[in-house]
Amino acid sequence: MSPPVAPPGWSRWLVPPAALSVHLSIGQAYAWSVFKPPLESALGLSGTQSALPFQLGIVMLGLSAAFGGTLVERKGPRWAMTVALICFSSGFLLSALGASLEQYWLIVFGYGFVGGIGLGIGYISPVSTLIKWFPDRPGMATGIAIMGFGGGALIASPWSAQMLESFGGDSSGIALAFLVHGLSYAVFMLLGVLLVRVPRHAPGARGTARQAPTGPQVSAKQAIRTPQFWLLWIVLCMNVTAGIGILEKAAPMITDFFADTSTPVSVTAAAGFVALLSAANMAGRIGWSSTSDLIGRKNIYRVYLGAGALMYALIALFGDSSKPLFVLCALVILSFYGGGFATVPAYLKDLFGTYQVGAIHGRLLTAWSTAGVLGPLIVNWIADRQEEAGRHGASLYGLSFVIMIGLLVVGFVANELVRPVDPRHHVPAPKEAAHVERQQSESA
């Protein structure tokens, strides 16, 4: 399935909406915490168990992006978006069947494994195409699209909460909510499949990609042999672990923090908090990534990791005494979390060029897979152990936050060690030119 080449005069600003239709849909993953309490109640699950579909989904996101990155580069964005649509929607339909039959393993398999493949392929599907359309502003371009992934929960969180309220929080109500999600997202993602275009490679054409990549270029195979790739892997993993730990448990976390105060947080307010986090995640993706075009990628990651550690320290010390402080710090952390995702493709482009940036990006997302396990595991496992020890409220999370601060410091140090890629890893110019010519002939 080859995507249609944009005709003369095609506006490159039509490509981000195509990417957004996919990313807004798969961004529902960030609203998973809304389903945690009803699943725990209906199926008798612990907090650690109810996190499994989300954790497996993030693991599969990274693995499918890593193994499918080169294929996505070769087959193009339309093929990738179609695969994402089929897998993501099928994951919800399988989960609906699992909830209806009260077979939790089927929810884990459907949402986590099958849906997770859709997450990974869908996530990387527009990245390379957007960088080619916007070589002058790569941070902004990828930020616009990846903003949708962060903003997906802004829609999905209140929508899911309303469905659970209308359908009921038992297994049949959860099943019906999953069914509606699967069918609705299939229709919405189809818009992106139909709209996406690839740029012509005519030299000097206005609003299109250049004829050939410029500057140092590194293949995906060579990239993983460089220290820069693995330093960025550590940076992304630490930043994601710190953000996803809050995001996956957001609704029950804010409820626990203020359960013993005079102003406890209701279920509706907790769902609203998840939506606010999604808004911060979304805003960070476009705001911080666009800022990186001005101040540089290394500098913006210094902000993400350094200021992020400070925000965690403030929550750990004073979060349970001030609801506004807790919410504000969480919003800043999630804006850095989203900004880290949106900035990393441009960081990769700066270091490795555009030659196979989509495939390199896919391999780097294995850091997300690792963080998708680490973040929720740290927060949920420690909270479960603290609860068994008779603790409650904010004390369930104190140790988790100290660990997150340490991880962010590790990421900060790794970012400081990033240097330009050694020329011995660069692709020879003749091979690079041949690759561009082959891409042109395949898309023609």
Side-chain angles (χ1 to χ4, degrees), residues 227-386:
Q228 287 81 358
F229 177 89
W230 294 107
L231 288 170
L232 276 188
W233 192 97
I234 293 171
V235 167
L236 184 63
C237 185
M238 299 302 99
N239 193 56
V240 173
T241 300
I244 212 167
I246 286 183
L247 194 57
E248 188 275 334
K249 202 174 173 66
M253 181 182 290
I254 193 171
T255 302
D256 290 336
F257 248 80
F258 300 98
D260 299 328
T261 68
S262 58
T263 55
V265 177
S266 66
V267 174
T268 302
F273 175 62
V274 175
L276 276 177
L277 291 181
S278 178
N281 188 355
M282 179 175 64
R285 289 172 188 246
I286 181 62
W288 294 121
S289 62
S290 296
T291 303
S292 78
D293 286 335
L294 301 175
I295 69 172
R297 321 304 170 195
K298 177 175 281 193
N299 285 333
I300 202 69
Y301 272 96
R302 286 169 173 154
V303 174
Y304 299 155
L305 299 159
L310 176 61
M311 294 299 105
Y312 258 115
L314 289 174
I315 293 178
L317 294 172
F318 310 111
D320 59 339
S321 61
S322 173
K323 195 177 296 182
L325 177 66
F326 176 91
V327 172
L328 178 62
C329 290
L331 292 177
V332 173
I333 289 171
L334 263 295
S335 78
F336 292 158
Y337 169 83
F341 277 122
T343 309
V344 82
Y347 209 161
L348 291 172
K349 180 255 183 188
D350 293 346
L351 290 171
F352 303 110
T354 59
Y355 176 52
Q356 290 187 334
V357 68
I360 298 170
H361 184 224
R363 286 161 172 76
L364 191 75
L365 290 182
T366 53
W368 195 355
S369 295
T370 304
V373 174
L374 280 180
L377 182 63
I378 290 169
V379 174
N380 285 287
W381 187 85
I382 291 177
D384 288 345
R385 299 293 80 76
Q386 298 283 42

Side-chain angles (χ1 to χ4, degrees), residues 8-82:
W10 177 270
S11 173
R12 63 179 180 171
W13 293 102
L14 292 174
V15 181
L20 274 172
S21 71
V22 173
H23 275 235
L24 279 170
S25 299
I26 63 178
Q28 184 281 334
Y30 285 145
W32 177 253
S33 65
V34 175
F35 285 102
K36 283 172 65 70
L39 279 170
E40 290 168 14
S41 176
L43 302 180
L45 307 172
S46 68
T48 303
Q49 289 172 324
S50 66
L52 283 176
F54 177 82
Q55 287 177 292
L56 181 57
I58 298 302
V59 169
M60 293 309 301
L61 184 158
L63 293 178
S64 60
F67 288 105
T70 304
L71 193 60
V72 169
E73 285 277 281
R74 187 167 69 248
K75 295 279 191 177
R78 173 167 286 185
W79 175 87
M81 289 179 178
T82 301

Side-chain angles (χ1 to χ4, degrees), residues 1 4 6-7 41 53 67 108-109 139 200-201 232 239 287 330 362 418:
M1 178 185 293
S41 176
F67 288 105
V108 175
F109 175 76
R200 293 178 178 273
H201 294 282
L232 276 188
N239 193 56
V418 173

Side-chain angles (χ1 to χ4, degrees), residues 179 224 227:
L179 177 64
I224 63 174

